[in-house]
Amino acid sequence: MARIFIGLCLAAALLSACVAGSPLVVERKTGFAARPDLDAVFVVPFRTVMVPTTVADALFDTFIDELNRRAEVLGEDGFEFVILKEELGRIDPDWLAAHHYVTGEVFGYLEDSGARSTDIRIKARLELRQPGPAEPTLMIEYPDGLFFEHERATLAEKRAELAQRVATALAAALWGALMD
């Protein structure tokens, strides 16, 4: 009986250690250059698939604001994150190839709502392209979600919270890789 109990405790500890790890995945590819010497990193508005506009807009705006807030700390040695207003297909490919730019997508959004609670799930992915390599040099993936009871919060509050969390995590991961 004691062996079974110890085995169950060990299995629970291993499972909790796996769950406790961050779901954020940062993958540096061949050609990635940290601490690039530049004035601006361009950001293409994120593509979204079946994500409420309030979530998608808040996530993107917070992402840009968080990155620019971090860049301001560098002062004159810093750079800025500039939103590209044109679609990628309408921008000169030679110009794109000579600049650092980030593309992203928000997808896998699911709201599973019951009578008393709601579970929200979301996935996001970023790619950084740098001059030189044809492929992205940095990829970041981040799934997140939250569960709440309707008595304690509203759907609008939790959507905003999730957008904030995802944007902050993505910005921190991108910033960390660039400043590494």
Side-chain angles (χ1 to χ4, degrees), residues 75-159:
E76 290 183 18
D77 294 331
F79 49 89
E80 64 181 331
F81 291 85
V82 178
I83 300 170
L84 279 177
K85 303 290 185 186
E86 292 286 324
E87 294 178 24
L88 282 180
R90 302 183 84 179
I91 299 174
D92 177 22
D94 292 334
W95 185 91
L96 276 175
H99 292 85
H100 291 70
Y101 67 98
V102 175
T103 60
E105 60 185 332
V106 183
F107 62 101
Y109 186 88
L110 176 67
E111 288 180 6
D112 185 11
S113 191
R116 295 188 179 134
S117 62
T118 297
D119 184 29
I120 305 175
R121 300 277 163 215
I122 192 170
K123 295 177 184 175
R125 182 179 351 199
L126 296 180
E127 293 182 346
L128 172 68
R129 295 180 183 267
Q130 296 177 302
E135 297 297 315
T137 57
L138 179 73
M139 296 178 71
I140 300 170
E141 292 187 22
Y142 183 66
D144 200 350
L146 53 80
F147 176 84
F148 69 97
E149 295 176 3
H150 298 160
E151 295 174 352
R152 298 181 183 258
T154 67
L155 180 58
E157 290 170 338
K158 291 302 180 175
R159 281 178 170 177

Side-chain angles (χ1 to χ4, degrees), residues 62-72 81 171 174-175:
T62 302
F63 174 74
I64 294 295
D65 291 345
E66 178 67 19
L67 286 171
N68 281 322
R69 184 188 63 73
R70 290 171 181 258
E72 282 178 7
F81 291 85
L174 178 59
W175 184 260

